Amino acid sequence: MEISKTYESGKAEEKWYAHWMEKGYFKSVPDDREPYTVVIPPPNVTGVLHMGHMLNNTIQDVLVRRARMLGKNACWVPGTDHASIATEAKVVQKLRQEGIKKSDLTRDEFLKHAFEWKDKHGGIILEQLKKLGASCDWDRTNFTMDPEYSESVIDVFIDLFKKGKVYRGVRMVNWDPEALTALSDEEVIHKEVNSKLFYVRYKIAGSEDQWLTIATTRPETILGDTAICINPNDERFKNLHGKQAIVPIANRTIPIILDDYVDMEFGTGCLKVTPAHDTNDYELGKKHGIETIDIFHDNGTLNAHGMHYDGMDRFEVRKAIEKELYDKGYLVKTEDHINKIGFSERTNAVIEPKLSLQWFVDMKELSQPALDNVMNGNIRFHPEKFKNTYRHWMENIKDWCISRQLWWGHRIPAWYFGSGADEFVVSKTLEEAVKLATEKSGRAISADELRQDEDVLDTWFSSWLWPISVFNGLTDPGNKEITYYYPTNDLVTAPEIMFFWVARMIIAGYEYMDELPFKNVYYTGIVRDKLGRKMSKSLGNSPDPLDLITQYGADGVRMGILISSPAGNDLPFDSSQCEQGRNFTNKIWNAYRLVSSWEAKDIEQPKSSVVAIDWFESKFNKALLEINDLFDKFRISEALMAIYKLVWDDFCSWYLEMIKPGYEQPIDHKTLESTKNFFEQILKLMHPYMPFVSEELWHLIRERKEGEDIIVAAWPTVSVINEELLSQFEIAEEVITNIRNVRKQNNIASKVKMELLVKKNGELNTGFDAVIVKMGNLSLLEYRSEKVGNANSFLVRSNEYFIPFGEAVDLEAEQNKLQEELDYTKGFLVSVQKKLQNEKFMAGAPDQVVAMERKKEADALEKIAILEEKIGALKV
RNA sequence: GCUCGUUUAGCUCAGUUGGUUAGAGCAAUUGAUUUACAUUCAAUAGGCCGUAGGUUCGAGUCCUACAAUGAGCACCA
């Protein structure tokens, strides 16, 4: 059968993914094996696959596939989260295009549209993961708004309410005027922007022409001013103590208050106080009992307090009021100013601090075990440096605003029976609410009188239960699955969501399972383009992952992503890395073509093959030991590099060349059999990274019975490592490299056979001679007791090698080469001798180190003697 | 502003408790090729280990300061 010259990824990928699915290899059910559990960081239902997902999920798949081969019961749970704000925005936008306004729909009608949208688009990303080869147990696919999952979210809300950890209160929240909802602090991104500082003068009440000047970045909030604040120690303004000022335009008289919060250095030293629209002003207002005037509608336009600006957008008003202030002589000057402004993570709208009644989680006590167990190493972070960031956040944790003024999500199970702040109950069902409300109010309350809270919960308030609720650990506590799979093993995620998600999962884990949710957290970096910019849809600098897969094959892309992706560091991505990956799949494919072309006959096994097999066995085992260790340390990309070198350099470039029979010559049975065994072993090591090509070749290299697939083959175990043999090979390798150099320097074609004569000065094992003859294409390898004249020569570990000159030879070049080596060795000797002559070194260094230096000295001296002799000989 | 990282070859990174004159992959350069693979092979070159001090017999590694850079947190209108 003619085998294609290159590996054809597309066909193999389709075939083997279907095969794995059909055989149910991704499926996991509890049994008596050790479980290995990973829960996917659930992507948004609105999302499409991007490079960040590719990186993240490739790593998870590598871990899961290796665990499966290690004989563990591997379970990778996939799923999506409902992404309240993003999804609701998408659905609203889609409806708008169809001419439907959200405000014209009832809640139920809207949710019907939203679920339709979710069913149609919500699974796209999971389908795309299949193309990558992700070995998730798809039967376990979860969604944060699945009925049972939702139940657990509501239960947790009620439970925390009962424990007094969830409360309702008026607070200054981050208001997103576009999404019309409150946000948690974590959802606000502060960015530096160029703005203006407006200097505005306020008349002192009761004076004819006395003024004070404030500086503000937000002149539109002047209409909401209810005080002016100055520092009591500010000598400049002693005359203002006890006075009042008149707000421009509004003509309202407001008090001048004293507080050392005011920085005398900044601006003018006079601060206007707008308690409704600034967090610090709010605190000041509370402290001094100042009136609060809210001048904004929820959508960021001004309300009736905005007077003639009623209905106009806040940024329009800023421009208009600047003009009005100027025209009326209030505006003293404006200055350019850089400050930081909060933006909504989801809608990018400028956040408006706003007073409102919201639900909060009291985090202080809840978070304590989550902090302790990361710091003491019960939960391990990779890389460890993220522990610092984590600790910093956890030690300064604030209460979590969990209500969102949206419809898409888990509706808050609070029921109101009056307008008083305390006239509500929290319960799972309406019936229960009726009962509780009746008890609480002391009067009979009917179902009709109860209004359920309109708001839904923050999406993270559901995803923090992910490792528990995907196994129904809360709705069906102690069930077989949660007992078996929880705690999960490894979580792979981005550092960006350490607080949003990781910290909160740990909190929920300890609160509800009394145990950690996962043992290891592996933080991936950000995927960046060549210019170092984060890859993003808005920049358009991200390649389409599916195009990459078509172009380079899933295996090639997987390798391209992982080859330069150390944990926690950013991944500077370039598609040339995928090219390297594709080349690697092709390399192993062609190695197979070579092996498959050999015909085995009953012939004697060459000596070179015997030694090659012994050597590779040790080499393989040594590499395996290292690779296992790298995996244990989560050094995923270094493990890949070690596998890459083992396969390409050691197996293909050295081993196969050593045992390769002559052109169209047969091979002996023993060598072929060993080679096929080695081939199987390296395919196994490759499998977690390159599942498709390894499965394809696994089936080509030998006939397989039903169920003998590499995906479930046993990961190799470490056996013999003959260090002595490995170091002998290193000598042989050096000899062969030297022979190649002689050829190159003298322009001797590699097919021309040469002679090699050796003068043995020290210990030399001849075990690899047959290999040297073969790899060096020698006609002769002989030992001599005397130097050989008229020859190219080189030195390996104090033994001298001679290749007799065939014809013309560059004597000068030969001499230069020797001189260079001599200079280096002399320099080396000096540095060693310096140490040995240093009394302090001799006194301070351990014996072992001194002995090593002595040996170095002796070796260098011997080498120098030989080199000098050789140079002398050449000159004659 | 505070906290924590990072800084080693053109690029991306290793470099263990301080102990050979610092390594890898990619890129570069030179050469090879009717024999598994030009998606190949062989070889070569490339480093004041961010800067300045200090500790030590000995520092890429430990300490101090500074610089550059990144992340997190907090923000002054």
Side-chain angles (χ1 to χ4, degrees):
Chain A
M1 184 185 77
E2 186 68 20
I3 310 165
S4 157
K5 265 189 122 170
T6 51
Y7 167 61
E8 287 162 7
S9 56
K11 269 192 260 171
E13 285 166 19
E14 208 169 301
K15 176 171 75 181
W16 292 114
Y17 203 85
H19 177 75
W20 295 329
M21 289 287 277
E22 192 204 333
K23 301 287 288 182
Y25 289 137
F26 305 161
K27 247 196 106 39
S28 170
V29 284
D31 58 23
D32 46 18
R33 287 175 298 164
E34 181 189 340
Y36 175 82
T37 319
V38 170
V39 290
I40 204 169
N44 286 348
V45 282
T46 58
V48 286
L49 197 68
H50 59 60
M51 293 306 289
H53 295 123
M54 293 285 278
L55 170 62
N56 186 276
N57 287 291
T58 302
I59 292 168
Q60 289 175 73
D61 198 42
V62 168
L63 295 174
V64 167
R65 282 179 185 271
R66 177 162 177 271
R68 195 179 284 121
M69 293 176 80
L70 284 169
K72 296 178 187 171
N73 186 346
C75 181
W76 182 9
V77 183
T80 46
D81 83 36
H82 62 279
S84 263
I85 300 178
T87 309
E88 180 146 334
K90 269 246 154 72
V91 175
V92 167
Q93 190 188 1
K94 184 207 160 225
L95 290 174
R96 201 183 295 144
Q97 280 164 6
E98 294 166 10
I100 305 171
K101 279 199 275 182
K102 182 188 165 193
S103 53
D104 293 342
L105 297 175
T106 64
R107 188 179 188 115
D108 286 343
E109 284 165 350
F110 177 80
L111 287 178
K112 212 175 140 229
H113 283 291
F115 270 108
E116 271 171 19
W117 185 91
K118 182 255 167 188
D119 290 340
K120 202 166 158 194
H121 304 280
I124 291 180
I125 199 158
L126 299 182
E127 289 309 308
Q128 290 175 317
L129 284 179
K130 293 178 181 172
K131 298 272 181 272
L132 185 66
S135 60
C136 304
D137 183 350
W138 298 107
D139 296 340
R140 292 179 177 275
T141 304
N142 265 266
F143 175 53
T144 47
M145 276 170 68
D146 284 340
E148 198 160 353
Y149 199 111
S150 300
E151 195 186 335
S152 66
V153 175
I154 297 304
D155 285 348
V156 162
F157 180 93
I158 295 169
D159 179 68
L160 288 176
F161 177 77
K162 283 183 182 159
K163 289 174 180 161
K165 298 294 181 199
V166 155
Y167 65 91
R168 188 165 175 252
V170 176
R171 293 283 182 284
M172 188 66 86
V173 298
N174 306 297
W175 185 260
D176 180 338
E178 203 164 298
L180 300 179
T181 179
L183 301 177
S184 70
D185 293 343
E186 287 69 37
E187 287 163 305
V188 179
I189 302 165
H190 292 273
K191 288 189 243 182
E192 245 178 28
V193 294
N194 293 315
S195 51
K196 271 193 210 168
L197 203 50
F198 299 84
Y199 288 78
V200 181
R201 59 179 197 164
Y202 289 40
K203 197 175 200 174
I204 311 291
S207 78
E208 270 311 305
D209 195 28
Q210 256 190 301
W211 302 81
L212 65 84
T213 305
I214 58 94
T216 180
T217 52
R218 302 198 61 193
E220 70 278 14
T221 63
I222 280 174
L223 303 172
D225 283 356
T226 53
I228 297 290
C229 190
I230 53 177
N231 194 307
N233 305 316
D234 198 329
E235 295 298 330
R236 296 172 295 177
F237 304 124
K238 290 273 189 211
N239 62 322
L240 297 179
H241 291 194
K243 299 266 177 64
Q244 292 183 311
I246 297 166
V247 179
I249 300 172
N251 283 324
R252 198 157 5 90
T253 303
I254 57 173
I256 296 171
I257 60 171
L258 306 174
D259 199 297
D260 56 15
Y261 160 77
V262 176
D263 180 351
M264 293 188 275
E265 306 296 317
F266 189 88
T268 61
C270 293
L271 170 71
K272 74 184 204 63
V273 183
T274 321
H277 302 297
D278 183 282
T279 318
N280 297 305
D281 289 10
Y282 175 66
E283 294 302 325
L284 266 181
K286 263 207 311 206
K287 191 168 157 191
H288 294 274
I290 302 302
E291 190 191 354
T292 295
I293 301 177
D294 188 341
I295 62 163
F296 290 124
H297 287 122
D298 287 350
N299 65 1
T301 59
L302 271 72
N303 61 22
H305 289 295
M307 304 166 62
H308 45 289
Y309 296 115
D310 189 354
M312 202 193 260
D313 183 77
R314 50 192 170 147
F315 297 111
E316 295 299 314
V317 175
R318 185 174 301 172
K319 284 182 212 154
I321 206 165
E322 177 182 1
K323 188 169 183 303
E324 185 177 355
L325 288 168
Y326 178 78
D327 290 345
K328 295 188 170 163
Y330 292 114
L331 188 65
V332 178
K333 61 171 176 175
T334 63
E335 266 176 10
D336 287 334
H337 179 68
I338 294 169
N339 64 342
K340 280 196 171 175
I341 292 183
F343 291 84
S344 162
E345 195 212 14
R346 287 284 165 220
T347 63
N348 207 33
V350 173
I351 293 300
E352 192 59 56
K354 187 178 162 72
L355 272 178
S356 71
L357 190 56
Q358 301 285 345
W359 291 90
F360 295 87
V361 181
D362 179 352
M363 297 297 272
K364 201 81 212 156
E365 272 177 47
L366 281 179
S367 62
Q368 196 57 47
L371 171 59
D372 297 342
N373 284 288
V374 168
M375 295 324 289
N376 68 17
N378 285 344
I379 297 171
R380 299 187 55 192
F381 281 9
H382 305 272
E384 228 173 329
K385 64 178 179 184
F386 287 113
K387 277 168 84 169
N388 283 323
T389 317
Y390 180 83
R391 186 184 60 215
H392 191 254
W393 189 77
M394 290 294 269
E395 283 176 348
N396 297 289
I397 198 160
K398 300 214 192 89
D399 286 359
W400 174 15
C401 174
I402 51 168
S403 39
R404 297 290 180 275
Q405 287 62 50
L406 301 164
W407 282 347
W408 177 244
H410 303 100
R411 190 168 180 181
I412 292 173
W415 311 78
Y416 301 92
F417 52 81
S419 52
D422 196 38
E423 290 180 305
F424 68 89
V425 294
V426 167
S427 77
K428 201 162 174 177
T429 61
L430 178 59
E431 294 78 58
E432 204 190 334
V434 168
K435 208 177 113 225
L436 289 173
T438 301
E439 279 169 22
K440 188 167 179 178
S441 65
R443 62 183 170 93
I445 286 179
S446 70
D448 292 343
E449 284 176 72
L450 289 174
R451 287 171 296 104
Q452 186 175 357
D453 199 303
E454 289 295 324
D455 295 347
V456 297
L457 291 162
D458 179 11
T459 307
W460 301 103
F461 192 86
S462 54
S463 45
W464 73 330
L465 306 175
W466 191 247
I468 305 171
S469 291
V470 295
F471 301 115
N472 296 329
L474 293 169
T475 45
D476 184 10
N479 77 66
K480 213 167 129 194
E481 301 232 315
I482 189 79
T483 317
Y484 183 73
Y485 292 115
Y486 192 95
T488 70
N489 294 70
D490 304 331
L491 178 80
V492 181
T493 193
E496 296 149 67
I497 55 175
M498 191 191 305
F499 311 131
F500 276 119
W501 194 48
V502 180
R504 289 173 183 157
M505 274 192 287
I506 300 173
I507 293 170
Y510 282 105
E511 181 68 15
Y512 287 102
M513 299 300 292
D514 208 17
E515 198 172 10
L516 43 84
F518 28 70
K519 295 168 191 126
N520 294 288
V521 184
Y522 179 99
Y523 290 103
T524 60
I526 294 167
V527 185
R528 297 184 180 276
D529 69 7
K530 268 185 183 169
L531 301 172
R533 298 173 307 178
K534 182 176 175 173
M535 281 189 178
S536 73
K537 233 193 297 179
S538 51
L539 272 176
N541 59 347
S542 175
D544 179 346
L546 297 183
D547 287 350
L548 285 176
I549 289 174
T550 313
Q551 205 178 344
Y552 300 105
D555 291 332
V557 175
R558 289 166 68 110
M559 166 151 169
I561 284 172
L562 291 187
I563 195 71
S564 69
S565 181
N569 272 15
D570 288 355
L571 161 60
F573 182 81
D574 187 336
S575 58
S576 71
Q577 289 159 218
C578 296
E579 210 174 305
Q580 196 187 343
R582 183 199 53 194
N583 294 354
F584 188 41
T585 56
N586 194 53
K587 183 72 187 175
I588 190 73
W589 177 261
N590 274 289
Y592 163 71
R593 279 182 68 211
L594 175 66
V595 173
S596 73
S597 72
W598 293 335
E599 193 192 346
K601 285 212 171 132
D602 285 325
I603 53 172
E604 205 194 333
Q605 187 180 25
K607 260 194 188 155
S608 53
S609 295
V610 176
V611 70
I613 289 166
D614 284 348
W615 166 75
F616 189 75
E617 191 182 12
S618 275
K619 187 77 199 177
F620 175 87
N621 280 300
K622 191 162 185 187
L624 176 58
L625 193 69
E626 185 196 342
I627 289 159
N628 283 340
D629 182 56
L630 289 169
F631 267 113
D632 290 344
K633 293 175 179 153
F634 285 85
R635 303 178 80 150
I636 309 291
S637 114
E638 282 175 65
L640 171 59
M641 182 59 82
I643 292 166
Y644 177 78
K645 285 200 275 191
L646 175 72
V647 173
W648 197 306
D649 299 342
D650 299 320
F651 185 72
C652 294
S653 297
W654 283 106
Y655 175 78
L656 288 179
E657 294 298 332
M658 285 191 239
I659 59 133
K660 188 168 155 183
Y663 184 53
E664 293 191 329
Q665 297 294 306
I667 193 167
D668 66 280
H669 285 290
K670 263 190 182 163
T671 303
L672 183 61
E673 193 53 26
S674 298
T675 304
K676 284 186 172 179
N677 287 339
F678 288 148
F679 213 118
E680 287 181 303
Q681 297 292 81
I682 60 170
L683 285 176
K684 286 182 188 174
L685 298 191
M686 288 172 68
H687 179 78
Y689 292 94
M690 318 192 93
F692 295 109
V693 72
S694 56
E695 189 74 88
E696 175 81 5
L697 291 176
W698 176 261
H699 287 267
L700 288 171
I701 196 104
R702 286 191 203 279
E703 284 288 315
R704 303 288 173 186
K705 292 198 211 86
E706 179 81 9
E708 274 182 359
D709 296 306
I710 199 168
I711 184 176
V712 288
W715 185 258
T717 48
V718 180
S719 63
V720 200
I721 300 174
N722 183 342
E723 292 286 354
E724 176 60 28
L725 195 64
L726 291 173
S727 75
Q728 281 169 24
F729 173 78
E730 273 172 33
I731 295 172
E733 195 179 351
E734 213 177 309
V735 172
I736 292 162
T737 299
N738 271 294
I739 295 171
R740 285 173 178 162
N741 278 332
V742 169
R743 282 186 190 279
K744 187 169 178 181
Q745 279 155 16
N746 297 289
N747 271 320
I748 303 168
S750 55
K751 54 187 167 188
V752 174
K753 286 195 187 286
M754 302 196 306
E755 294 180 349
L756 181 69
L757 306 170
V758 188
K759 177 165 180 284
K760 219 165 120 174
N761 295 324
E763 281 296 302
L764 183 62
N765 187 296
T766 56
F768 278 91
D769 284 2
V771 168
I772 294 171
V773 168
K774 178 161 187 181
M775 301 292 283
N777 197 22
L778 303 176
S779 55
L780 176 81
L781 192 166
E782 267 183 15
Y783 290 85
R784 297 286 164 88
S785 52
E786 291 300 315
K787 265 182 213 316
V788 179
N790 209 27
N792 289 287
S793 64
F794 53 87
L795 204 59
V796 176
R797 318 264 162 116
S798 82
N799 292 305
E800 291 170 83
Y801 296 79
F802 302 92
I803 296 174
F805 296 149
E807 294 152 27
V809 119
D810 192 342
L811 267 179
E812 202 182 332
E814 182 69 10
Q815 212 170 316
N816 285 345
K817 195 188 75 185
L818 291 169
Q819 190 63 44
E820 223 171 86
E821 205 177 344
L822 180 63
D823 291 345
Y824 176 88
T825 314
K826 278 182 171 169
F828 178 68
L829 180 67
V830 168
S831 81
V832 172
Q833 284 176 335
K834 247 191 224 160
K835 277 187 210 171
L836 290 169
Q837 281 157 13
N838 185 332
E839 278 169 36
K840 285 179 181 167
F841 171 79
M842 297 304 282
D847 292 348
Q848 200 193 339
V849 174
V850 175
M852 218 159 67
E853 294 300 318
R854 284 240 159 82
K855 177 155 193 324
K856 280 191 231 163
E857 184 190 30
D859 288 350
L861 284 169
E862 188 182 359
K863 200 168 171 185
I864 287 167
I866 295 167
L867 285 166
E868 281 176 337
E869 204 186 321
K870 283 169 66 129
I871 291 170
L874 268 182
K875 279 181 181 154
V876 176

